[in-house]
Amino acid sequence: MEFRVLGAVEATADGAPVDLGSRKQRLVLAVLLLDAGRPVSRDRLVDLLWPADPPASARGTVQALVSRIRAVFRAAGGPELVTEGPGY
């Protein structure tokens, strides 16, 4: 799987484009890619997705977005996205 984060967040698998999902899902993926090899906390992702006033459901939404990214990776033969402590 190949990723592009300059400009639009995009991915390809075997040369074919991969649907990365919603804008928020692509933002989470971009942050994880830019910090590859270092854990990114759920709280940091919440702060980036909702800078002013996160909803009460924000942490659960982040977990759902990560779950969807994992499903995209599995379907496209992408990397494993691991949970590490309170982050990814």
Side-chain angles (χ1 to χ4, degrees):
M1 210 168 177
E2 184 175 300
F3 300 98
R4 293 182 193 93
V5 293
L6 294 177
V9 178
E10 301 174 329
T12 57
D14 296 325
V18 174
D19 181 0
L20 296 175
S22 70
R23 182 174 86 51
K24 285 191 185 299
Q25 194 166 306
R26 290 189 315 272
L27 174 60
V28 169
L29 177 58
V31 171
L32 295 173
L33 289 169
L34 292 171
D35 280 351
R38 296 176 297 220
V40 177
S41 72
R42 281 183 209 99
D43 290 338
R44 179 164 177 232
L45 292 170
V46 167
D47 290 344
L48 291 169
L49 290 167
W50 298 277
D53 189 24
S57 62
R59 289 180 63 109
T61 300
V62 166
Q63 289 175 319
L65 292 168
V66 169
S67 178
R68 290 184 202 130
I69 292 168
R70 285 179 170 141
V72 168
F73 284 4
R74 276 192 303 274
E80 181 182 6
L81 177 55
V82 297
T83 300
E84 190 171 307
Y88 307 99

